[in-house]
Protein backbone atom coordinates (compact mmCIF):
# COMPACT_ATOMS: atom_id res chain seq x y z
CA UNK A 1 0.00 0.00 0.00
CA UNK A 2 1.37 3.47 -0.84
CA UNK A 3 2.07 5.61 2.20
CA UNK A 4 2.69 9.19 3.24
CA UNK A 5 4.15 10.76 6.35
CA UNK A 6 1.82 13.27 7.97
CA UNK A 7 3.91 15.82 9.84
CA UNK A 8 1.77 17.87 12.18
CA UNK A 9 2.08 19.84 15.39
CA UNK A 10 -0.69 20.25 17.93
CA UNK A 11 -0.79 24.03 17.98
CA UNK A 12 -1.04 24.42 14.21
CA UNK A 13 -4.47 25.83 13.42
CA UNK A 14 -4.78 24.53 9.87
CA UNK A 15 -3.84 21.04 11.06
CA UNK A 16 -7.34 20.79 12.54
CA UNK A 17 -8.73 20.42 9.03
CA UNK A 18 -6.33 17.57 8.27
CA UNK A 19 -6.37 15.76 11.61
CA UNK A 20 -10.14 15.36 11.55
CA UNK A 21 -10.31 13.77 8.08
CA UNK A 22 -6.97 12.32 6.99
CA UNK A 23 -7.44 8.74 8.23
CA UNK A 24 -10.76 8.21 6.47
CA UNK A 25 -9.80 10.20 3.39
CA UNK A 26 -6.56 8.31 2.81
CA UNK A 27 -8.07 4.91 3.60
CA UNK A 28 -10.74 5.48 0.96
CA UNK A 29 -7.97 5.97 -1.61
CA UNK A 30 -5.78 3.10 -0.48
CA UNK A 31 -3.01 5.20 1.06
CA UNK A 32 -1.49 4.47 4.46
CA UNK A 33 -0.75 7.36 6.84
CA UNK A 34 2.19 7.61 9.25
CA UNK A 35 1.41 10.26 11.90
CA UNK A 36 4.53 12.31 12.77
CA UNK A 37 4.04 14.89 15.56
CA UNK A 38 6.76 17.50 16.12
CA UNK A 39 7.25 20.98 17.60
CA UNK A 40 6.46 23.41 14.80
CA UNK A 41 6.93 26.41 17.09
CA UNK A 42 10.61 25.58 17.54
CA UNK A 43 11.20 25.38 13.79
CA UNK A 44 9.25 28.54 13.05
CA UNK A 45 11.16 30.52 15.69
CA UNK A 46 14.42 29.32 14.09
CA UNK A 47 13.15 30.75 10.79
CA UNK A 48 11.99 34.01 12.39
CA UNK A 49 8.56 33.07 11.08
CA UNK A 50 5.76 34.16 13.41
CA UNK A 51 2.78 34.06 11.04
CA UNK A 52 -0.14 35.51 13.02
CA UNK A 53 1.01 37.13 16.28
CA UNK A 54 0.57 40.89 16.07
CA UNK A 55 -1.09 40.59 12.64
CA UNK A 56 -4.81 41.08 13.24
CA UNK A 57 -5.81 41.30 9.58
CA UNK A 58 -3.98 38.09 8.70
CA UNK A 59 -5.35 36.37 11.82
CA UNK A 60 -8.92 37.33 10.89
CA UNK A 61 -8.35 35.87 7.42
CA UNK A 62 -6.99 32.64 8.90
CA UNK A 63 -10.03 32.07 11.10
CA UNK A 64 -12.45 32.80 8.26
CA UNK A 65 -10.47 30.55 5.91
CA UNK A 66 -10.56 27.70 8.41
CA UNK A 67 -14.29 28.26 8.88
CA UNK A 68 -14.90 28.09 5.12
CA UNK A 69 -12.81 24.98 4.64
CA UNK A 70 -14.34 23.24 7.64
CA UNK A 71 -17.75 23.77 6.01
CA UNK A 72 -16.36 22.27 2.79
CA UNK A 73 -15.37 19.13 4.72
CA UNK A 74 -18.55 19.09 6.86
CA UNK A 75 -16.49 19.61 10.01
CA UNK A 76 -17.97 21.45 12.99
CA UNK A 77 -15.78 24.38 14.07
CA UNK A 78 -15.95 27.26 16.53
CA UNK A 79 -13.53 30.05 15.72
CA UNK A 80 -11.55 31.86 16.83
CA UNK A 81 -10.22 28.97 18.88
CA UNK A 82 -7.83 29.70 21.78
CA UNK A 83 -4.52 30.57 20.15
CA UNK A 84 -1.59 30.29 20.54
CA UNK A 85 -1.41 27.33 22.90
CA UNK A 86 0.31 27.87 26.24
CA UNK A 87 1.37 24.22 26.46
CA UNK A 88 2.18 23.32 22.86
CA UNK A 89 5.31 21.29 23.76
CA UNK A 90 3.46 19.12 26.29
CA UNK A 91 0.59 18.49 23.88
CA UNK A 92 3.11 17.18 21.34
CA UNK A 93 5.20 15.28 23.90
CA UNK A 94 2.02 13.36 24.69
CA UNK A 95 1.40 12.78 20.98
CA UNK A 96 4.93 11.43 20.43
CA UNK A 97 4.49 9.03 23.33
CA UNK A 98 1.10 8.03 21.96
CA UNK A 99 2.53 7.21 18.55
CA UNK A 100 5.10 4.95 20.19
CA UNK A 101 2.35 3.19 22.16
CA UNK A 102 -0.28 3.05 19.42
CA UNK A 103 -2.92 5.53 20.65
CA UNK A 104 -1.42 8.80 19.39
CA UNK A 105 -3.79 9.33 16.46
CA UNK A 106 -6.86 8.84 18.65
CA UNK A 107 -5.52 11.32 21.22
CA UNK A 108 -4.69 13.85 18.50
CA UNK A 109 -8.20 13.72 17.04
CA UNK A 110 -9.76 14.04 20.49
CA UNK A 111 -7.60 16.98 21.57
CA UNK A 112 -8.21 18.87 18.31
CA UNK A 113 -11.95 18.22 18.58
CA UNK A 114 -12.06 19.70 22.06
CA UNK A 115 -9.87 22.61 21.00
CA UNK A 116 -11.70 23.59 17.80
CA UNK A 117 -15.23 22.52 18.65
CA UNK A 118 -15.45 23.08 22.41
CA UNK A 119 -12.94 25.91 22.87
CA UNK A 120 -10.75 23.99 25.34
CA UNK A 121 -7.03 24.59 24.58
CA UNK A 122 -5.02 21.50 23.69
CA UNK A 123 -2.24 20.66 26.11
CA UNK A 124 -4.12 22.21 29.04
CA UNK A 125 -6.73 20.91 31.43
CA UNK A 126 -9.47 19.81 31.08
CA UNK A 127 -8.72 19.03 27.43
CA UNK A 128 -5.53 17.04 28.09
CA UNK A 129 -6.92 14.51 30.57
CA UNK A 130 -10.28 14.20 28.81
CA UNK A 131 -8.61 13.49 25.47
CA UNK A 132 -6.35 10.87 27.03
CA UNK A 133 -9.28 9.13 28.69
CA UNK A 134 -11.15 9.14 25.38
CA UNK A 135 -8.08 7.49 23.82
CA UNK A 136 -8.21 4.79 26.51
CA UNK A 137 -5.27 6.06 28.54
CA UNK A 138 -4.58 6.93 32.18
CA UNK A 139 -3.84 10.68 32.22
CA UNK A 140 -1.69 10.56 35.35
CA UNK A 141 0.67 7.95 33.89
CA UNK A 142 0.84 9.50 30.43
CA UNK A 143 1.38 13.09 31.53
CA UNK A 144 4.11 12.09 33.97
CA UNK A 145 5.92 10.07 31.32
CA UNK A 146 5.45 12.63 28.54
CA UNK A 147 6.61 15.50 30.73
CA UNK A 148 9.72 13.67 31.90
CA UNK A 149 13.23 14.33 30.68
CA UNK A 150 12.87 11.41 28.29
CA UNK A 151 9.55 12.75 26.98
CA UNK A 152 11.10 16.13 26.27
CA UNK A 153 14.01 14.44 24.49
CA UNK A 154 11.69 12.32 22.33
CA UNK A 155 9.88 15.42 21.07
CA UNK A 156 13.23 17.07 20.37
CA UNK A 157 14.25 14.02 18.33
CA UNK A 158 10.99 14.11 16.37
CA UNK A 159 11.48 17.82 15.68
CA UNK A 160 15.05 17.22 14.53
CA UNK A 161 13.76 14.55 12.15
CA UNK A 162 11.20 17.02 10.77
CA UNK A 163 13.91 19.64 10.30
CA UNK A 164 16.18 17.16 8.54
CA UNK A 165 13.32 16.16 6.23
CA UNK A 166 12.85 19.79 5.22
CA UNK A 167 9.59 20.35 7.08
CA UNK A 168 9.09 24.05 7.86
CA UNK A 169 5.39 24.18 8.78
CA UNK A 170 2.33 22.13 9.56
CA UNK A 171 0.55 20.24 8.24
CA UNK A 172 3.11 18.76 5.85
CA UNK A 173 2.91 15.52 3.86
CA UNK A 174 5.97 13.69 2.61
CA UNK A 175 5.84 10.83 0.13
CA UNK A 176 8.23 9.51 -2.48
CA UNK A 177 10.82 12.09 -1.51
CA UNK A 178 8.38 14.96 -2.22
CA UNK A 179 7.12 17.46 0.35
CA UNK A 180 3.65 19.03 0.29
CA UNK A 181 2.80 21.81 2.75
CA UNK A 182 -0.71 22.78 3.80
CA UNK A 183 -4.04 21.07 4.31
CA UNK A 184 -5.03 22.00 0.75
CA UNK A 185 -2.13 19.90 -0.57
CA UNK A 186 -3.36 16.62 0.90
CA UNK A 187 -4.89 15.42 -2.37
CA UNK A 188 -1.68 16.28 -4.22
CA UNK A 189 0.29 14.19 -1.71
CA UNK A 190 -2.15 11.29 -2.11
CA UNK A 191 -1.80 11.45 -5.90
CA UNK A 192 1.98 11.42 -5.60
CA UNK A 193 1.87 8.46 -3.21
CA UNK A 194 -0.31 6.58 -5.70
CA UNK A 195 1.30 7.52 -9.01
CA UNK A 196 4.55 9.41 -8.42
CA UNK A 197 3.02 12.48 -10.02
CA UNK A 198 0.16 14.94 -9.51
CA UNK A 199 -1.89 13.29 -12.25
CA UNK A 200 -5.02 11.61 -10.85
CA UNK A 201 -6.44 8.40 -12.27
CA UNK A 202 -8.38 8.85 -15.47
CA UNK A 203 -6.70 12.15 -16.38
Amino acid sequence: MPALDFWYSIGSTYSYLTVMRIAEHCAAQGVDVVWRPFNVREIMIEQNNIPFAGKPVKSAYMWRDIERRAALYDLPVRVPAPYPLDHLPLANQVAVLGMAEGWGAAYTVETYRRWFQDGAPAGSEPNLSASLRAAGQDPERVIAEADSEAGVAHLAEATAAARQTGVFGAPTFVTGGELFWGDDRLDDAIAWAQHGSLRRRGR
Side-chain angles (χ1 to χ4, degrees), residues 13 16 52 55-56 58-68 76-85 112-121:
T13 55
Y16 168 71
F52 302 111
K55 301 174 183 177
K58 189 173 183 180
S59 293
Y61 171 83
M62 172 191 70
W63 293 123
R64 180 56 184 146
D65 193 38
I66 289 172
E67 189 174 44
R68 289 191 302 246
V77 69
R78 190 170 79 187
V79 294
Y83 179 82
L85 294 181
Y112 261 100
R113 183 180 66 77
R114 286 173 171 80
W115 181 18
F116 270 79
Q117 296 176 22
D118 300 338

Short mmCIF file of all heavy atoms in Angstrom, two decimals, residues 13 16 52 55-56 58-68 76-85 112-121:
data_model
loop_
_atom_site.label_atom_id
_atom_site.label_comp_id
_atom_site.label_asym_id
_atom_site.label_seq_id
_atom_site.Cartn_x
_atom_site.Cartn_y
_atom_site.Cartn_z
N THR A 13 -3.03 25.66 13.61
CA THR A 13 -4.47 25.83 13.42
C THR A 13 -4.98 25.06 12.20
O THR A 13 -5.98 24.34 12.29
CB THR A 13 -4.82 27.32 13.28
OG1 THR A 13 -4.05 27.89 12.23
CG2 THR A 13 -4.53 28.06 14.58
N TYR A 16 -6.01 21.28 12.15
CA TYR A 16 -7.34 20.79 12.54
C TYR A 16 -8.06 20.18 11.35
O TYR A 16 -8.66 19.10 11.44
CB TYR A 16 -8.19 21.93 13.12
CG TYR A 16 -9.66 21.58 13.27
CD1 TYR A 16 -10.08 20.67 14.24
CD2 TYR A 16 -10.62 22.14 12.43
CE1 TYR A 16 -11.42 20.33 14.37
CE2 TYR A 16 -11.96 21.81 12.56
CZ TYR A 16 -12.36 20.92 13.52
OH TYR A 16 -13.69 20.57 13.65
N PHE A 52 1.11 34.83 12.69
CA PHE A 52 -0.14 35.51 13.02
C PHE A 52 -0.05 36.47 14.20
O PHE A 52 -0.86 37.38 14.32
CB PHE A 52 -1.25 34.48 13.27
CG PHE A 52 -1.49 33.57 12.10
CD1 PHE A 52 -1.16 32.23 12.17
CD2 PHE A 52 -2.01 34.07 10.91
CE1 PHE A 52 -1.37 31.39 11.07
CE2 PHE A 52 -2.22 33.25 9.82
CZ PHE A 52 -1.90 31.90 9.90
N LYS A 55 -0.62 40.35 14.01
CA LYS A 55 -1.09 40.59 12.64
C LYS A 55 -2.60 40.36 12.59
O LYS A 55 -3.06 39.32 12.12
CB LYS A 55 -0.36 39.66 11.67
CG LYS A 55 1.16 39.84 11.68
CD LYS A 55 1.86 38.81 10.82
CE LYS A 55 3.38 38.98 10.92
NZ LYS A 55 4.10 37.94 10.15
N PRO A 56 -3.37 41.31 13.10
CA PRO A 56 -4.81 41.08 13.24
C PRO A 56 -5.54 40.84 11.92
O PRO A 56 -6.48 40.04 11.88
CB PRO A 56 -5.32 42.35 13.93
CG PRO A 56 -4.26 43.38 13.68
CD PRO A 56 -2.97 42.63 13.63
N LYS A 58 -4.31 39.45 9.15
CA LYS A 58 -3.98 38.09 8.70
C LYS A 58 -4.64 37.04 9.60
O LYS A 58 -5.12 36.01 9.11
CB LYS A 58 -2.46 37.89 8.70
CG LYS A 58 -2.02 36.60 8.04
CD LYS A 58 -0.51 36.54 7.92
CE LYS A 58 -0.08 35.27 7.19
NZ LYS A 58 1.40 35.19 7.05
N SER A 59 -4.70 37.30 10.90
CA SER A 59 -5.35 36.37 11.82
C SER A 59 -6.83 36.23 11.50
O SER A 59 -7.40 35.13 11.51
CB SER A 59 -5.17 36.84 13.27
OG SER A 59 -3.82 36.76 13.65
N ALA A 60 -7.50 37.37 11.23
CA ALA A 60 -8.92 37.33 10.89
C ALA A 60 -9.15 36.52 9.62
O ALA A 60 -10.11 35.74 9.53
CB ALA A 60 -9.45 38.75 10.72
N TYR A 61 -8.25 36.68 8.64
CA TYR A 61 -8.35 35.87 7.42
C TYR A 61 -8.21 34.39 7.73
O TYR A 61 -8.96 33.55 7.21
CB TYR A 61 -7.29 36.29 6.40
CG TYR A 61 -7.24 35.35 5.23
CD1 TYR A 61 -8.14 35.50 4.18
CD2 TYR A 61 -6.36 34.27 5.20
CE1 TYR A 61 -8.14 34.61 3.11
CE2 TYR A 61 -6.35 33.38 4.15
CZ TYR A 61 -7.25 33.55 3.11
OH TYR A 61 -7.26 32.65 2.07
N MET A 62 -7.22 34.04 8.56
CA MET A 62 -6.99 32.64 8.90
C MET A 62 -8.24 32.00 9.48
O MET A 62 -8.65 30.91 9.06
CB MET A 62 -5.84 32.51 9.90
CG MET A 62 -5.68 31.10 10.46
SD MET A 62 -4.53 31.00 11.85
CE MET A 62 -5.45 31.85 13.15
N TRP A 63 -8.85 32.67 10.46
CA TRP A 63 -10.03 32.07 11.10
C TRP A 63 -11.18 31.91 10.11
O TRP A 63 -11.87 30.89 10.11
CB TRP A 63 -10.46 32.90 12.30
CG TRP A 63 -9.47 32.88 13.43
CD1 TRP A 63 -8.87 33.96 14.02
CD2 TRP A 63 -8.96 31.73 14.13
NE1 TRP A 63 -8.02 33.56 15.00
CE2 TRP A 63 -8.05 32.20 15.10
CE3 TRP A 63 -9.17 30.35 14.01
CZ2 TRP A 63 -7.37 31.34 15.97
CZ3 TRP A 63 -8.49 29.50 14.86
CH2 TRP A 63 -7.61 29.99 15.83
N ARG A 64 -11.38 32.91 9.26
CA ARG A 64 -12.45 32.80 8.26
C ARG A 64 -12.14 31.71 7.25
O ARG A 64 -13.03 30.97 6.82
CB ARG A 64 -12.65 34.14 7.55
CG ARG A 64 -13.76 34.11 6.50
CD ARG A 64 -15.09 33.66 7.08
NE ARG A 64 -16.12 33.54 6.04
CZ ARG A 64 -17.08 32.63 6.06
NH1 ARG A 64 -17.17 31.76 7.05
NH2 ARG A 64 -17.95 32.59 5.07
N ASP A 65 -10.88 31.59 6.86
CA ASP A 65 -10.47 30.55 5.91
C ASP A 65 -10.70 29.17 6.50
O ASP A 65 -11.23 28.26 5.82
CB ASP A 65 -9.00 30.75 5.56
CG ASP A 65 -8.56 29.93 4.36
OD1 ASP A 65 -9.36 29.79 3.40
OD2 ASP A 65 -7.43 29.43 4.36
N ILE A 66 -10.33 28.98 7.75
CA ILE A 66 -10.56 27.70 8.41
C ILE A 66 -12.06 27.41 8.49
O ILE A 66 -12.51 26.27 8.26
CB ILE A 66 -9.91 27.68 9.81
CG1 ILE A 66 -8.38 27.63 9.66
CG2 ILE A 66 -10.41 26.51 10.65
CD1 ILE A 66 -7.63 27.81 10.96
N GLU A 67 -12.84 28.43 8.80
CA GLU A 67 -14.29 28.26 8.88
C GLU A 67 -14.86 27.83 7.54
O GLU A 67 -15.69 26.92 7.46
CB GLU A 67 -14.92 29.57 9.34
CG GLU A 67 -16.39 29.49 9.68
CD GLU A 67 -16.89 30.79 10.26
OE1 GLU A 67 -16.54 31.88 9.71
OE2 GLU A 67 -17.64 30.76 11.24
N ARG A 68 -14.43 28.46 6.47
CA ARG A 68 -14.90 28.09 5.12
C ARG A 68 -14.52 26.66 4.77
O ARG A 68 -15.34 25.89 4.26
CB ARG A 68 -14.31 29.04 4.07
CG ARG A 68 -14.85 30.45 4.07
CD ARG A 68 -14.38 31.20 2.83
NE ARG A 68 -12.93 31.25 2.72
CZ ARG A 68 -12.22 32.36 2.80
NH1 ARG A 68 -12.82 33.52 3.04
NH2 ARG A 68 -10.90 32.34 2.66
N PRO A 76 -17.56 20.39 12.08
CA PRO A 76 -17.97 21.45 12.99
C PRO A 76 -16.75 22.25 13.43
O PRO A 76 -15.66 21.69 13.59
CB PRO A 76 -18.58 20.70 14.18
CG PRO A 76 -18.60 19.27 13.81
CD PRO A 76 -17.72 19.06 12.64
N VAL A 77 -16.90 23.55 13.62
CA VAL A 77 -15.78 24.38 14.07
C VAL A 77 -16.33 25.61 14.78
O VAL A 77 -17.39 26.13 14.42
CB VAL A 77 -14.88 24.79 12.88
CG1 VAL A 77 -15.60 25.76 11.95
CG2 VAL A 77 -13.56 25.36 13.35
N ARG A 78 -15.61 26.03 15.81
CA ARG A 78 -15.95 27.26 16.53
C ARG A 78 -14.69 28.11 16.59
O ARG A 78 -13.74 27.80 17.31
CB ARG A 78 -16.45 26.93 17.94
CG ARG A 78 -17.06 28.14 18.64
CD ARG A 78 -17.76 27.72 19.92
NE ARG A 78 -16.82 27.51 21.01
CZ ARG A 78 -17.16 27.00 22.20
NH1 ARG A 78 -18.41 26.62 22.41
NH2 ARG A 78 -16.26 26.86 23.14
N VAL A 79 -14.70 29.18 15.80
CA VAL A 79 -13.53 30.05 15.72
C VAL A 79 -13.92 31.48 16.09
O VAL A 79 -15.08 31.87 15.93
CB VAL A 79 -12.91 30.01 14.30
CG1 VAL A 79 -12.33 28.63 14.02
CG2 VAL A 79 -13.92 30.39 13.23
N PRO A 80 -12.94 32.25 16.60
CA PRO A 80 -11.55 31.86 16.83
C PRO A 80 -11.40 30.90 18.00
O PRO A 80 -12.05 31.06 19.03
CB PRO A 80 -10.86 33.19 17.13
CG PRO A 80 -11.95 34.08 17.65
CD PRO A 80 -13.20 33.66 16.94
N ALA A 81 -10.56 29.90 17.80
CA ALA A 81 -10.22 28.97 18.88
C ALA A 81 -9.11 29.61 19.73
O ALA A 81 -8.42 30.51 19.25
CB ALA A 81 -9.74 27.65 18.30
N PRO A 82 -8.93 29.17 20.97
CA PRO A 82 -7.83 29.70 21.78
C PRO A 82 -6.49 29.52 21.07
O PRO A 82 -6.16 28.41 20.64
CB PRO A 82 -7.90 28.85 23.06
CG PRO A 82 -9.32 28.38 23.13
CD PRO A 82 -9.74 28.16 21.70
N TYR A 83 -5.75 30.61 20.93
CA TYR A 83 -4.52 30.57 20.15
C TYR A 83 -3.66 31.78 20.49
O TYR A 83 -4.20 32.88 20.63
CB TYR A 83 -4.87 30.57 18.65
CG TYR A 83 -3.65 30.54 17.74
CD1 TYR A 83 -3.02 29.35 17.46
CD2 TYR A 83 -3.17 31.72 17.18
CE1 TYR A 83 -1.90 29.33 16.63
CE2 TYR A 83 -2.05 31.71 16.35
CZ TYR A 83 -1.42 30.50 16.09
OH TYR A 83 -0.32 30.47 15.27
N PRO A 84 -2.33 31.56 20.63
CA PRO A 84 -1.59 30.29 20.54
C PRO A 84 -1.75 29.47 21.81
O PRO A 84 -2.25 29.95 22.83
CB PRO A 84 -0.14 30.77 20.36
CG PRO A 84 -0.09 32.09 21.06
CD PRO A 84 -1.44 32.73 20.83
N LEU A 85 -1.30 28.23 21.75
CA LEU A 85 -1.41 27.33 22.90
C LEU A 85 -0.31 27.61 23.91
O LEU A 85 0.86 27.73 23.54
CB LEU A 85 -1.31 25.87 22.45
CG LEU A 85 -2.43 25.33 21.56
CD1 LEU A 85 -2.17 23.86 21.24
CD2 LEU A 85 -3.80 25.50 22.21
N TYR A 112 -7.82 17.85 19.28
CA TYR A 112 -8.21 18.87 18.31
C TYR A 112 -9.72 19.11 18.34
O TYR A 112 -10.18 20.25 18.20
CB TYR A 112 -7.76 18.48 16.91
CG TYR A 112 -6.48 19.16 16.48
CD1 TYR A 112 -5.26 18.49 16.55
CD2 TYR A 112 -6.48 20.47 16.02
CE1 TYR A 112 -4.08 19.11 16.17
CE2 TYR A 112 -5.31 21.10 15.64
CZ TYR A 112 -4.11 20.42 15.71
OH TYR A 112 -2.94 21.05 15.34
N ARG A 113 -10.50 18.05 18.52
CA ARG A 113 -11.95 18.22 18.58
C ARG A 113 -12.33 19.12 19.75
O ARG A 113 -13.13 20.06 19.58
CB ARG A 113 -12.64 16.86 18.72
CG ARG A 113 -14.16 16.95 18.71
CD ARG A 113 -14.81 15.59 18.85
NE ARG A 113 -14.55 14.99 20.15
CZ ARG A 113 -15.17 15.35 21.28
NH1 ARG A 113 -16.06 16.33 21.28
NH2 ARG A 113 -14.89 14.74 22.41
N ARG A 114 -11.75 18.87 20.89
CA ARG A 114 -12.06 19.70 22.06
C ARG A 114 -11.56 21.13 21.89
O ARG A 114 -12.19 22.08 22.35
CB ARG A 114 -11.46 19.06 23.32
CG ARG A 114 -12.23 17.84 23.77
CD ARG A 114 -11.54 17.09 24.91
NE ARG A 114 -12.42 16.05 25.44
CZ ARG A 114 -12.60 14.86 24.87
NH1 ARG A 114 -11.93 14.56 23.76
NH2 ARG A 114 -13.42 13.99 25.40
N TRP A 115 -10.43 21.28 21.21
CA TRP A 115 -9.87 22.61 21.00
C TRP A 115 -10.72 23.42 20.01
O TRP A 115 -11.11 24.55 20.30
CB TRP A 115 -8.43 22.46 20.48
CG TRP A 115 -7.69 23.75 20.23
CD1 TRP A 115 -7.99 25.00 20.71
CD2 TRP A 115 -6.52 23.90 19.43
NE1 TRP A 115 -7.08 25.92 20.24
CE2 TRP A 115 -6.16 25.27 19.46
CE3 TRP A 115 -5.73 23.02 18.69
CZ2 TRP A 115 -5.06 25.78 18.77
CZ3 TRP A 115 -4.64 23.52 18.01
CH2 TRP A 115 -4.30 24.87 18.06
N PHE A 116 -11.04 22.84 18.86
CA PHE A 116 -11.70 23.59 17.80
C PHE A 116 -13.22 23.51 17.82
O PHE A 116 -13.88 24.29 17.12
CB PHE A 116 -11.17 23.15 16.44
CG PHE A 116 -9.98 23.95 16.00
CD1 PHE A 116 -8.72 23.69 16.53
CD2 PHE A 116 -10.11 24.98 15.10
CE1 PHE A 116 -7.62 24.45 16.15
CE2 PHE A 116 -9.02 25.74 14.71
CZ PHE A 116 -7.76 25.48 15.25
N GLN A 117 -13.78 22.60 18.58
CA GLN A 117 -15.23 22.52 18.65
C GLN A 117 -15.78 22.96 20.00
O GLN A 117 -16.88 23.51 20.08
CB GLN A 117 -15.70 21.10 18.33
CG GLN A 117 -15.36 20.68 16.90
CD GLN A 117 -15.72 19.25 16.59
OE1 GLN A 117 -16.56 18.64 17.24
NE2 GLN A 117 -15.09 18.68 15.58
N ASP A 118 -14.99 22.74 21.07
CA ASP A 118 -15.45 23.08 22.41
C ASP A 118 -14.74 24.29 23.01
O ASP A 118 -15.13 24.78 24.07
CB ASP A 118 -15.26 21.89 23.36
CG ASP A 118 -16.04 20.66 22.92
OD1 ASP A 118 -17.01 20.82 22.16
OD2 ASP A 118 -15.66 19.54 23.32
N GLY A 119 -13.66 24.75 22.37
CA GLY A 119 -12.94 25.91 22.87
C GLY A 119 -12.02 25.63 24.04
O GLY A 119 -11.62 26.55 24.75
N ALA A 120 -11.64 24.37 24.25
CA ALA A 120 -10.75 23.99 25.34
C ALA A 120 -9.33 23.82 24.78
O ALA A 120 -9.09 22.92 23.97
CB ALA A 120 -11.21 22.69 25.99
N PRO A 121 -8.37 24.64 25.19
CA PRO A 121 -7.03 24.59 24.58
C PRO A 121 -6.36 23.23 24.73
O PRO A 121 -6.35 22.63 25.81
CB PRO A 121 -6.26 25.66 25.36
CG PRO A 121 -7.30 26.57 25.92
CD PRO A 121 -8.49 25.71 26.19
#
